[in-house]
Amino acid sequence: MPVSTIASPVLQVKPLGFPWETLDPFLFCAYHDDAYPKGNADMGPAASLAGRAIGQDFSRKDGWSMYHGEKVPGFPPHPHRGFETVTIVRKGLIDHSDSLGATARFGRGDVQWLTAGKGIVHAEMFPLLDEKNDNPLELFQIWLNLPARSKMSKPHFTMFWSQDIPRVTAKDAEGRSTEIAVIAGRLQDAGAPLAPPPDSWAARADADVAIWTLRMEPGARWALPAAGEGTRRNLYFFKGQSVSIGGQDVRSPAAIELRADMPVELVNGSEVAEFLLLQGRPIAEPVAQYGPFVMNTQAEIAQTMADYQRTQFGGWSFDSDTPVHGRDPARFAVHPGGREERPAEVPDAANA
């Protein structure tokens, strides 16, 4: 009998930690899934904060964390240089403020794509607006590296509202659905892709960057299409029980590195399964990182720290170090220069 020489599409399977490990051009992915309780008058949790390291709380005590917030959960002002943040909010709301003068309240399936470039300071707070019911929050924050030529580019603030994100619902032969949301990259039948920020690695067609979320019904089958030559691909299986990937059984939660040069059949198990796909051609440059700064050399890191001490990357013009944007739950964005967007209201997205 001839022996099959077809290579498995699965290169390796790893457990998911916090944050999730990624492949070049990505730096990491933080997945937050917080079961926040009812809110109080200050838009913080109507619950005791005893036993938490306030200001540095990643405990997940009672199913949620305050992170660096003291009254309101979230991340007060902090700097970035040399990369981009892509924040996909599936449930709940985030209040954004930054040193460009931009503000936003976004969530319920929205995506914010922020090019830090030569330097930005921003705050990301999680206001708990509902005083009668729980305030669940679920989001991904993905750090996407910038190539050396773009690390000192002009910072750029972009909002992708939920209703504008391309989505595809694919049905298999038995009528079972796989839903795909295409934040970056191209997918057949998804229509025109969204335009990444101009200096992003994702703005290059040959970079083959894709950021997708997938939701598969129990028993659903779907073939992940092949990507370009030299592309690397990770599939993060973060909700569900089990899935067959190219004939290999994988149990949740797991990070699966896949060959990108061949299509891969996914066959879901008996529960709804959800995935995040991150892929791209590597930048393949040295990475020097110090906290929120990502450059190519340690000398550039030292220069970044000196620049931040001198300029504060534009400074902080807001009255509060933990700015939240009132009790009105309506989503909005005010861009640098004052242009305002107010999208149509949508319910919280279970799959964004």
Side-chain angles (χ1 to χ4, degrees), residues 36 56 58 60 74-75 119 181 210 235 262 283 304 308:
Y36 288 117
Q56 187 69 31
F58 289 76
R60 290 199 52 79
F75 296 87
L235 186 67
M262 59 190 297
I283 295 172
T304 295
Y308 179 60

Side-chain angles (χ1 to χ4, degrees), residues 4-351:
S4 173
T5 58
I6 298 175
S8 170
V10 177
L11 297 177
Q12 63 176 333
V13 178
K14 291 184 175 181
L16 286 179
F18 184 86
W20 296 350
E21 294 183 23
T22 54
L23 302 168
D24 185 3
F26 300 96
L27 297 163
F28 75 76
C29 175
Y31 175 56
H32 300 276
D33 189 6
D34 288 288
Y36 288 117
K38 299 174 184 177
N40 61 25
D42 295 322
M43 290 175 273
S48 172
L49 300 182
R52 296 178 181 272
I54 295 304
Q56 187 69 31
D57 175 36
F58 289 76
S59 66
R60 290 199 52 79
K61 183 177 182 290
D62 302 322
W64 51 275
S65 300
M66 288 292 289
Y67 302 106
H68 297 305
E70 296 186 356
K71 292 184 178 180
V72 177
F75 296 87
H78 55 282
H80 291 306
R81 173 181 275 186
F83 65 99
E84 301 182 286
T85 61
V86 182
T87 307
I88 306 168
V89 186
R90 292 156 52 90
K91 296 178 184 177
L93 294 166
I94 291 182
D95 279 1
H96 167 92
S97 308
D98 68 40
S99 56
L100 303 177
T103 56
R105 171 166 284 172
F106 66 100
R108 301 172 184 164
D110 301 327
V111 176
Q112 182 199 70
W113 196 315
L114 186 68
T115 304
K118 66 183 179 181
I120 194 170
V121 176
H122 74 154
E124 304 156 292
M125 305 307 297
F126 308 154
L128 309 184
L129 300 183
D130 197 329
E131 297 182 77
K132 296 181 180 179
N133 302 290
D134 291 344
N135 289 269
L137 179 78
E138 185 186 9
L139 66 94
F140 305 105
Q141 185 168 93
I142 301 156
W143 286 21
L144 175 60
N145 202 6
L146 287 167
R149 67 175 179 276
S150 302
K151 285 192 177 293
M152 297 297 286
S153 61
K154 183 179 178 180
H156 195 277
F157 171 91
T158 302
M159 288 300 311
F160 294 152
W161 302 109
S162 179
Q163 61 265 33
D164 299 326
I165 294 172
R167 289 180 168 84
V168 172
T169 299
K171 291 188 178 293
D172 62 20
E174 286 73 41
R176 296 170 177 143
S177 295
T178 298
E179 301 169 10
I180 308 100
V182 183
I183 293 101
R186 294 179 177 274
L187 177 64
Q188 186 176 355
D189 300 325
L194 298 168
D199 292 296
S200 177
W201 183 246
R204 294 179 47 146
D206 62 348
D208 203 19
V209 170
I211 302 173
W212 303 346
T213 60
L214 288 71
R215 182 182 187 276
M216 301 186 75
E217 290 184 342
R221 292 173 174 263
W222 185 69
L224 182 63
E229 184 178 353
T231 297
R232 300 187 73 188
R233 170 181 279 177
N234 258 358
L235 186 67
Y236 299 91
F237 182 18
F238 66 96
K239 284 190 178 180
Q241 185 179 60
S242 64
V243 65
S244 172
I245 301 178
Q248 179 173 329
D249 291 335
V250 178
R251 298 188 68 83
S252 174
I256 306 109
E257 183 180 358
L258 297 171
R259 287 186 57 175
D261 60 353
M262 59 190 297
V264 182
E265 185 179 49
L266 309 180
V267 183
N268 191 22
S270 59
E271 296 182 6
V272 169
E274 298 195 62
F275 307 84
L276 173 71
L277 173 80
L278 298 180
Q279 76 170 39
R281 187 168 60 81
I283 295 172
E285 294 176 352
V287 173
Q289 180 173 357
Y290 183 82
F293 307 137
V294 183
M295 304 301 288
N296 294 102
T297 68
Q298 289 301 321
E300 290 171 339
I301 291 291
Q303 184 63 55
T304 295
M305 294 172 69
D307 290 347
Y308 179 60
Q309 289 178 341
R310 187 180 70 256
T311 69
Q312 298 295 295
F313 293 165
W316 193 248
S317 62
F318 301 92
D319 294 335
S320 172
D321 284 338
T322 56
V324 290
H325 304 319
R327 303 207 70 94
D328 184 350
R331 292 139 56 242
F332 73 92
V334 177
H335 291 253
R339 181 173 65 88
E340 186 170 345
E341 293 180 88
R342 289 196 173 267
E345 286 306 311
V346 295
D348 260 348
N351 176 49

